[in-house]
Amino acid sequence: MAKILITGASGFIGSFIVEEALKKGFETWAAVRRSSSKEYLQDERINFIELNLSSREQLVEQLREHQFDYVVHAAGVTKCLNKADFRRINTEGTKNLVEALMELQMPLKRFVFVSSLSVFGAIREQQPYGEIRETDTPQPNTEYGRSKLEAERFLDSLIKGGQESPLQSKSAEAEAFPYVILRPTGVYGPREKDYFLMAQSIKQHSDFAVGYKRQDVTFVYVSDVVQAVFLALEKGQTGRKYFLSDGEVYQSTTFSDLIHEELGRPWWIRITAPVWVLRVVTFCGEYVGRLTGKVTALNNDKYHILKQRNWRCDIEPARRELGYQPQVQLKEGVHRAISWYLENKWL
């Protein structure tokens, strides 16, 4: 029985990866922190392992007795009070895990890193918008995107012979590290908490949009991300990077329109504000967050994300090389997500 390690297992995407691994018959190990919730990790077949991604030395000791065939690295943060935490968790955490696996000479068949379309930032913003392609130069405009891009570049250095890793002298091991990178666009579905805030707002009779210039957005339902993860484990080529979306492009109001419909069309006020208003709101939100010590969705990264006008991306390489075929389009995905929120009394 193949043995798989999944980091970020208690999170939104990670918990679904764990479920799929069990369905496929893997010996499934969920990496968690001591403080992690196991709300969605109730299956008795799950094996738990506590990993400290902030320390390579501790990771070596925590992993020493294990031999994993596959690793899916889905751990990370999308919001932080301190900018430095993005790099500490998303970049250094990835680096520490990989170096620990290499030091232990773990005989991995595949390491899948869940990155993000956000590594590219606001490019191809002139109309008509073009698809972001892997040959484009990343220009991340968020701390989150920058931290994910740094992690990607570390992985790339293992093949290119860069000097970022102190283990580069073990050239055979470095060249053989079998990583694949996935770059999903906005991921939504049951258990997701950021898009949920939009549904909550609409139920409370308001919808907020930003900017008057056309915005092309893309989405991918969580089960399609999971599909891509297991295709990448099976077919991914070392060093390759794949964009993930549902293959369609939507206008900025489409998502909220579908939520509104699923909620029974309550009366609402739709406010479209100029970008400078968003700048003020997110600046204040970040300031309040620092005062209270609570991470807020209204932060500087959110400003750049909502301001960005083009989220198109090219998923043809994933289709061609992995056999990736999105199964859930936005209308059906929103129906499933809102149904789950209602059944679980989130709304």
Side-chain angles (χ1 to χ4, degrees), residues 274-291:
V275 171
W276 68 264
V277 172
L278 175 66
R279 173 74 282 184
V280 172
V281 170
T282 54
F283 177 83
C284 293
E286 183 137 325
Y287 180 73
V288 170
R290 291 181 180 179
L291 285 179

Side-chain angles (χ1 to χ4, degrees), residues 44-91:
E44 62 183 14
R45 294 172 293 172
I46 300 172
N47 302 281
F48 292 97
I49 181 171
E50 187 175 324
L51 296 183
N52 179 10
L53 295 175
S54 65
S55 169
R56 188 183 80 196
E57 291 74 18
Q58 283 192 40
L59 284 169
V60 168
E61 294 309 310
Q62 291 166 332
L63 293 167
R64 188 178 296 281
E65 302 303 317
H66 297 274
Q67 291 288 319
F68 292 106
D69 299 290
Y70 302 99
V71 174
V72 179
H73 184 41
V77 290
T78 58
K79 299 186 290 291
C80 291
L81 284 176
N82 189 329
K83 291 180 180 180
D85 287 340
F86 282 106
R87 191 176 193 282
R88 179 179 62 81
I89 298 169
N90 293 344
T91 308

Side-chain angles (χ1 to χ4, degrees), residues 321-340:
E321 297 176 22
L322 301 181
Y324 171 68
Q325 291 295 338
Q327 300 297 309
V328 183
Q329 299 301 305
L330 191 61
K331 183 176 177 61
E332 173 62 21
V334 170
H335 170 70
R336 294 185 191 183
I338 297 301
S339 295
W340 186 91

Side-chain angles (χ1 to χ4, degrees), residues 10-210:
S10 63
F12 164 49
I13 299 174
S15 62
F16 282 103
I17 297 173
V18 169
E19 290 179 5
E20 186 65 17
L22 292 170
K23 288 178 185 176
K24 290 184 177 296
F26 286 90
E27 180 183 327
T28 303
W29 287 76
V32 295
R33 299 185 307 274
R34 190 166 299 175
S35 60
S36 297
S37 168
K38 295 181 181 177
E39 182 178 1
Y40 305 118
L41 301 173
Q42 297 295 315
D43 195 301
E44 62 183 14
R45 294 172 293 172
I46 300 172
N47 302 281
F48 292 97
I49 181 171
E50 187 175 324
L51 296 183
N52 179 10
L53 295 175
S54 65
S55 169
R56 188 183 80 196
E57 291 74 18
Q58 283 192 40
L59 284 169
V60 168
E61 294 309 310
Q62 291 166 332
L63 293 167
R64 188 178 296 281
E65 302 303 317
H66 297 274
Q67 291 288 319
F68 292 106
D69 299 290
Y70 302 99
V71 174
V72 179
H73 184 41
V77 290
T78 58
K79 299 186 290 291
C80 291
L81 284 176
N82 189 329
K83 291 180 180 180
D85 287 340
F86 282 106
R87 191 176 193 282
R88 179 179 62 81
I89 298 169
N90 293 344
T91 308
E92 295 300 321
T94 302
K95 185 176 179 180
N96 289 334
L97 175 61
V98 170
E99 290 186 339
L101 293 168
M102 291 171 62
E103 184 171 331
L104 292 167
Q105 299 185 37
M106 193 79 70
L108 291 180
K109 296 178 182 176
R110 198 80 70 221
F111 177 98
V112 171
F113 174 53
V114 181
S115 186
S116 171
L117 178 59
S118 290
V119 301
F120 277 86
I123 67 172
R124 297 183 179 271
E125 293 270 277
Q126 298 299 315
Q127 295 190 44
Y129 302 135
E131 288 182 331
I132 298 170
R133 301 178 183 275
E134 59 185 314
T135 52
D136 290 323
T137 301
Q139 299 175 36
N141 54 3
T142 62
E143 295 300 327
Y144 170 70
R146 281 186 277 272
S147 67
K148 284 289 192 178
L149 180 60
E150 284 189 57
E152 287 192 12
R153 286 176 170 165
F154 164 72
L155 288 167
D156 287 342
S157 76
L158 302 180
I159 289 180
K160 296 174 182 177
Q163 301 301 312
E164 294 183 47
S165 168
L167 303 177
Q168 288 301 306
S169 58
K170 299 183 179 182
S171 58
E173 294 155 315
E175 290 174 2
F177 193 79
Y179 73 93
V180 177
I181 294 171
L182 300 179
R183 292 165 165 170
T185 183
V187 187
Y188 71 104
R191 308 175 192 168
E192 198 279 332
K193 295 180 179 178
D194 287 343
Y195 288 118
F196 160 72
L197 294 177
M198 183 185 297
Q200 190 175 51
S201 176
I202 291 170
K203 187 177 182 182
Q204 295 170 353
H205 311 295
S206 65
D207 181 40
F208 184 76
V210 176

Side-chain angles (χ1 to χ4, degrees), residues 288-318:
V288 170
R290 291 181 180 179
L291 285 179
T292 61
K294 295 181 179 179
V295 178
T296 173
L298 295 173
N299 52 42
N300 287 332
D301 269 13
K302 181 63 73 173
Y303 165 73
H304 291 291
I305 289 170
L306 293 177
K307 178 185 175 186
Q308 188 167 319
R309 299 289 96 181
N310 180 29
W311 290 94
R312 292 170 173 260
C313 59
D314 177 19
I315 67 169
E316 284 309 308

